Amino acid sequence: MATLVPLGSAATFGVLANTAVTNTGPTVVTGDLGVSPAGAVTGFNPPGTVTGTIHVNDAAAAQAQADLLIGYGNALLQPATATVATELGGTTLTPGVYNSLSGTFSLNGPLTLDAQGDPNAVFIFKTNTTLITGAAGTVNLAGLAQSSHVFWQVGSSATLGVGTTIRGSILANTSITANTGAIVDGRLLALGAAVTLDTNAVTVPALTTCQVVVQPVVGPVVVGQPTPVSAVVTCNGLPVSGASVTFNGGAVPVTVTTNAAGVATGSLTFNTAGAATVTATVTAAGTACSCTGVVSAPVTITVTPQQSCQVVVQPVVGPVVVGQPTSVSAVVTCNGLPVSGASVTFNGGAVPVTVTTNAAGVATGSLTFNTAGAATVTATVTAAGTACSCTGVVSAPLTITVGAPTGPLSASPACWRVNLPFPIPHLFVATLKATLTPAQAGVTVTFYVSGLPVGTAVTNASGVATLNNAGLSILQISASSYTAVATVGGSTVQATGSLTPCFPPV
């Protein structure tokens, strides 16, 4: 794949020679013109004109010649991607490095260079000896190709025919002659001898500009937490891919590479709270832009102290009875905001239970206590995908009183909730549960709220009858309890359980 030929300071020169620049007629050079190390410039001011600066054997011309030599060597050493016929006229070529089959190139018709939509595409033509164009020889650009990305490495001398139009920079090892009316959209740069002009137009391609912009940082920036940062690198408004960008401002600089959209994304960590300044510097870029060393404008961000995590066990609603499952809940917050998806383990019952917090940061589980008397419940966060250091955080203990069993049938505390997303057929529902002691399976239990039956359930092998999603009216939710009724051994038994709003009530 062809890469851009570095021209350094020679990039500003439309014409550069070693021994002499000679002109006849009203030639116009848009750019600088120079000769070095011991040459002369004739035929300008008048009749030729130069829009830039004429450098005759000065330091600028000498540096340009030194940079041209580096560029010539770069083009010479780039491996060929294809070898083509001597005559280029009448052909269409895509990006690449092209060798001549015969060691020389001629152009006597239209040559189309098609970048296929890639504005960064590069074309390099290499000859061992000469480049000769005729009057009908033209170079046309297509598919976003740019003359600044076209290079002609000529082993000896280049001759441009009368009225020819060529695009790109000619890097000749010896001399260059542009005959009457030849148009050059590029540069005529001769390492070893003279450049001869005659009523020509030589236009240096617009010098490309590089820009690096740090994007706004999204979300809070917290001490000790990795923060994503990104920057966009563009060349004349077009993205630069493959550029190395170093972000500074965090505890340690980080270097990343731009993608096809010119975006570099990395991560910085800040060790101190307060204001911090982030910059992005291009440390390497294979582009016609002078990107290396370009620094973005600084972006100031505010770094906040590390966030704190809190776990609070909620008061237990209703009586707690030996052997009966008891609903327990805890709220996990990070700086006062709910933490969803956190794993919370409740301890204090016969067996610990682990549940996950919902969108409101609430974890709800069920503990069973085997002994009457005082019991202590705690909640521990065992995993949490949050910026807070939540894992391992333990709640303050909650002391509850566990009562002895009250009879053969007991009703567990229950709560009602709004029946979402579609409150059909009931606006409110509750899960009601009753337990036979000793356990007996197959017993039908009828549940009542406000004296009205809301459904039946059959006890399982553990003696537990559960009525899921019992439909309640707006009048029934005003009741503070429900009743479970069953017939055991020919006798009717009943128990009352508390009925309160769920937290949250959805």
Side-chain angles (χ1 to χ4, degrees):
M1 182 181 71
T3 60
L4 281 167
V5 174
L7 294 179
S9 63
T12 65
F13 284 77
V15 177
L16 180 64
N18 179 289
T19 58
V21 176
T22 304
N23 173 61
T24 301
T27 292
V28 177
V29 177
T30 303
D32 295 335
L33 181 147
V35 62
S36 178
V41 175
T42 59
F44 287 91
N45 298 328
T49 58
V50 177
T51 64
T53 302
I54 297 178
H55 297 275
V56 180
N57 305 320
D58 62 7
Q63 184 61 54
Q65 277 285 358
D67 291 342
L68 172 59
L69 180 61
I70 293 173
Y72 183 91
N74 177 278
L76 180 66
L77 294 175
Q78 290 204 34
T81 55
T83 298
V84 294
T86 299
E87 176 56 48
L88 295 173
T91 63
T92 297
L93 296 175
T94 54
V97 180
Y98 294 95
N99 270 345
S100 167
L101 182 64
S102 64
T104 181
F105 275 129
S106 60
L107 180 65
N108 294 289
L111 165 64
T112 300
L113 304 181
D114 185 358
Q116 299 180 317
D118 180 6
N120 295 315
V122 176
F123 301 81
I124 298 176
F125 295 88
K126 306 200 303 180
T127 76
N128 292 332
T129 55
T130 60
L131 167 66
I132 301 174
T133 72
T138 61
V139 177
N140 301 315
L141 303 179
L144 299 182
Q146 302 183 68
S147 58
S148 60
H149 288 51
V150 180
F151 302 89
W152 304 83
Q153 178 263 313
V154 180
S156 58
S157 298
T159 301
L160 307 183
V162 173
T164 193
T165 298
I166 196 163
R167 302 182 191 278
S169 298
I170 298 177
L171 286 60
N173 191 42
T174 307
S175 64
I176 302 172
T177 299
N179 287 306
T180 306
I183 297 172
V184 179
D185 177 16
R187 305 173 181 89
L188 301 178
L189 310 174
L191 273 170
V195 175
T196 303
L197 306 169
D198 182 359
T199 315
N200 308 119
V202 181
T203 304
V204 175
L207 295 178
T208 49
T209 57
C210 186
Q211 188 177 31
V212 186
V213 179
V214 176
Q215 302 300 289
V217 175
V218 178
V221 181
V222 182
V223 167
Q225 302 294 333
T227 299
V229 290
S230 64
V232 180
V233 182
T234 56
C235 175
N236 280 4
L238 298 174
V240 177
S241 64
S244 294
V245 176
T246 299
F247 291 97
N248 290 283
V252 178
V254 61
T255 299
V256 289
T257 303
T258 56
N259 60 17
V263 178
T265 302
S267 178
L268 291 179
T269 300
F270 303 88
N271 291 340
T272 306
T277 300
V278 176
T279 59
T281 303
V282 180
T283 53
T287 172
C289 277
S290 298
C291 268
T292 302
V294 174
V295 183
S296 71
V299 171
T300 301
I301 59 176
T302 300
V303 183
T304 59
Q306 278 195 348
Q307 298 172 322
S308 60
C309 187
Q310 190 176 29
V311 186
V312 178
V313 177
Q314 302 300 291
V316 174
V317 178
V320 181
V321 180
V322 168
Q324 302 296 324
T326 299
S327 178
V328 289
S329 65
V331 180
V332 183
T333 57
C334 175
N335 280 10
L337 298 176
V339 177
S340 65
S343 294
V344 176
T345 299
F346 291 97
N347 290 282
V351 178
V353 62
T354 300
V355 289
T356 303
T357 57
N358 61 16
V362 177
T364 302
S366 179
L367 291 179
T368 300
F369 302 90
N370 292 341
T371 306
T376 300
V377 175
T378 60
T380 303
V381 181
T382 54
T386 172
C388 273
S389 299
C390 268
T391 302
V393 174
V394 183
S395 72
L398 175 71
T399 301
I400 60 175
T401 301
V402 181
T406 57
L409 183 67
S410 60
S412 301
C415 64
W416 57 263
R417 66 183 187 279
V418 180
N419 188 19
L420 293 178
F422 300 104
I424 297 174
H426 303 285
L427 182 58
F428 307 97
V429 294
T431 297
L432 309 178
K433 184 182 296 184
T435 303
L436 278 176
T437 304
Q440 182 177 340
V443 176
T444 300
V445 179
T446 303
F447 295 90
Y448 296 83
V449 179
S450 296
L452 300 174
V454 294
T456 62
V458 177
T459 57
N460 59 19
S462 299
V464 179
T466 303
L467 177 61
N468 291 309
N469 296 322
L472 304 178
S473 69
I474 194 168
L475 294 177
Q476 287 174 308
I477 67 170
S478 63
S480 61
S481 63
Y482 71 96
T483 301
V485 179
T487 299
V488 180
S491 301
T492 300
V493 294
Q494 69 178 42
T496 300
S498 62
L499 180 63
T500 59
C502 295
F503 181 82
V506 292

